[in-house]
Structures are given as structure tokens and as C-alpha cells.
Amino acid sequence: MSAPESENDWENDPVWDLVDQAQAPEANPLFVRNVMREVRLSSETHRPWWKPLLAPRPILAGSLAAIAVAILIAVGPEQPEQPEQVTGDDPHPGEALESQVPQLDALLEEEMLSQAAEDPAAFSDEALVALLYQ
């Protein structure tokens, strides 16, 4: 066998006839988009759902919120004591009211002094002197 005969065998091979009859494949119009999406998805690493919660930013935000709530609870408005309820069975209801009047006056004076200490411009000079000399 010579070299030219082997070349002719390749050209006369029936496989080449099939290849010549085959149509060229055409790519789907969305081929590039689909391939790029698969590349992106394969390169992404999936972290567990709980890992982002352990990042420094959420931990810092949660701790600051907890501290703010604790401060608000500690500094929150104090509730005044409830005066005792006067029942209809009390034989001397006037005495209970008379004993509460001095307590209310003392509370009112305290409140006025604290308001004057916070904002003295809200009171006139005469009112401030009267509050101080009571």
C-alpha cells in the first residue's frame, strides 16, 4: 500500500458521506445567557442560613438594641403609689381625705420645685422665690 491509496481510502469512507449530509447545529438564542447563569450558579458558595446571623453587624445591632431596652426600662417613668381606696364601710371617710390633703400638697411642692430646677424660665422670679421660701 502506498501513501496515495491510504488518502483515497479516507475520502471514499462512507462516514464522510454521512458527515456531508448532516446539517450544522444552530445554538439556541438563549444559549449564552443560560451558560453564563450556570457558570454563576456553580461558582457561588451556598452558606447556611444561620451563618449571616453570626456576622459582626447583626450581633452589634442586637446587643445595642438590648442595651437600649434595658436603659429605657431602668429610666422609665416611675409609677406613683396608688392611694388606698376608701370603701363605703369606713365610718370616718372625711378623716381619710383630710390626711391625704397634706400629702398631696407636699407632692405638689416637690413637683413644682423639680419643674423649676429643670426649666427656671418657665416661672417668674416671684414664683421662684415663693417656691424656695415655702
Side-chain angles (χ1 to χ4, degrees), residues 54-90:
L54 296 179
R57 216 178 295 172
I59 290 175
L60 179 64
S63 60
L64 287 177
I67 290 171
V69 167
I71 290 173
L72 288 175
I73 290 173
V75 179
E78 295 180 14
Q79 302 218 353
E81 290 184 19
Q82 296 288 333
E84 293 182 17
Q85 294 285 332
V86 177
T87 60
D89 298 339
D90 192 8

Side-chain angles (χ1 to χ4, degrees), residues 6-119:
S6 65
E7 288 178 14
N8 286 338
D9 288 340
W10 279 99
E11 291 177 6
N12 294 331
D13 194 3
V15 173
W16 287 112
D17 293 335
L18 287 174
V19 170
D20 288 339
Q21 293 174 2
Q23 295 178 355
E26 292 186 23
N28 187 352
L30 302 177
F31 175 76
V32 174
R33 186 192 72 175
N34 293 340
V35 169
M36 293 308 293
R37 182 181 65 225
E38 289 297 324
V39 168
R40 275 193 314 272
L41 291 176
S42 68
S43 66
E44 288 181 1
T45 57
H46 295 287
R47 293 175 28 175
W49 65 268
W50 52 270
K51 279 236 174 158
L53 296 177
L54 296 179
R57 216 178 295 172
I59 290 175
L60 179 64
S63 60
L64 287 177
I67 290 171
V69 167
I71 290 173
L72 288 175
I73 290 173
V75 179
E78 295 180 14
Q79 302 218 353
E81 290 184 19
Q82 296 288 333
E84 293 182 17
Q85 294 285 332
V86 177
T87 60
D89 298 339
D90 192 8
H92 306 289
E95 290 178 8
L97 291 175
E98 289 175 8
S99 67
Q100 289 180 355
V101 170
Q103 291 175 353
L104 291 176
D105 288 339
L107 287 173
L108 179 63
E109 288 175 12
E110 273 184 44
E111 185 63 29
M112 294 292 282
L113 282 173
S114 67
Q115 290 293 326
E118 287 178 10
D119 188 16

